[in-house]
Amino acid sequence: PPPPESPPPAPFLPGAAPVSYAQFALTETYFDASHVTAEPAATEETAEVLAALRSVFSEEGYAIHDLAMTLQGTTPASGGGMHVDWQIELTAPTSMDWAGFTAWVEGDEFDTAVTHATSSIGGAHLNSFFSGSGTVTTAPMGMANAPSPPPLL
């Protein structure tokens, strides 16, 4: 017998809008201390950085729906310290100024804003600075209920 038909997609909620996806790399460089890997401190530290990123995006006027940050790896920094490589994924309205967003994230102003926001948290965040590395990749996702989670890669 043929396989059962899949159920129809869920209807869009009122207020659904075209949504786009973006991803970029962010490097955190510790000049003193190192990245926390033990739980629950690692999860807490990541959540603090995510909150700081969301705040920075909001202060710059970008309405980010969903935001995810995934550890990609760590490498020793010259002169001591450590580089922590993060993959940032987010969704936002397709109508957002994506060219402006991309230029801002790839520029020094973003690095300064994220470093300032995280260092104001205190603790281990006083011992690191952030820099965007690489380019921002964006793609439309189509209509979606907002907020919408970043797709899994």
Side-chain angles (χ1 to χ4, degrees):
E5 292 185 30
S6 57
F12 292 115
L13 298 173
V19 173
S20 290
Y21 163 83
Q23 70 176 9
F24 61 92
L26 184 67
T27 299
E28 179 179 14
T29 300
Y30 284 89
F31 50 86
D32 188 28
S34 64
H35 177 67
V36 176
T37 57
E39 292 297 346
T43 298
E44 180 180 327
E45 190 172 305
T46 301
E48 290 170 349
V49 174
L50 271 172
L53 277 171
R54 186 171 291 282
S55 175
V56 166
F57 291 139
S58 178
E59 288 172 10
E60 194 63 24
Y62 295 110
I64 303 302
H65 290 296
D66 291 290
L67 182 61
M69 184 169 140
T70 306
L71 178 66
Q72 299 296 298
T74 61
T75 54
S78 61
M82 172 186 290
H83 297 294
V84 181
D85 296 314
W86 298 99
Q87 178 71 37
I88 308 299
E89 296 177 278
L90 58 92
T91 59
T94 299
S95 61
M96 188 170 88
D97 176 10
W98 286 98
F101 177 82
T102 298
W104 175 66
V105 167
E106 291 176 359
D108 294 337
E109 186 179 326
F110 173 75
D111 299 347
T112 301
V114 174
T115 298
H116 175 74
T118 55
S119 65
S120 68
I121 297 168
H125 305 293
L126 290 172
N127 301 315
S128 66
F129 60 90
F130 288 81
S131 57
S133 48
T135 59
V136 176
T137 302
T138 62
M141 294 174 61
M143 290 295 289
N145 294 319
S148 55
L152 298 175
L153 298 177

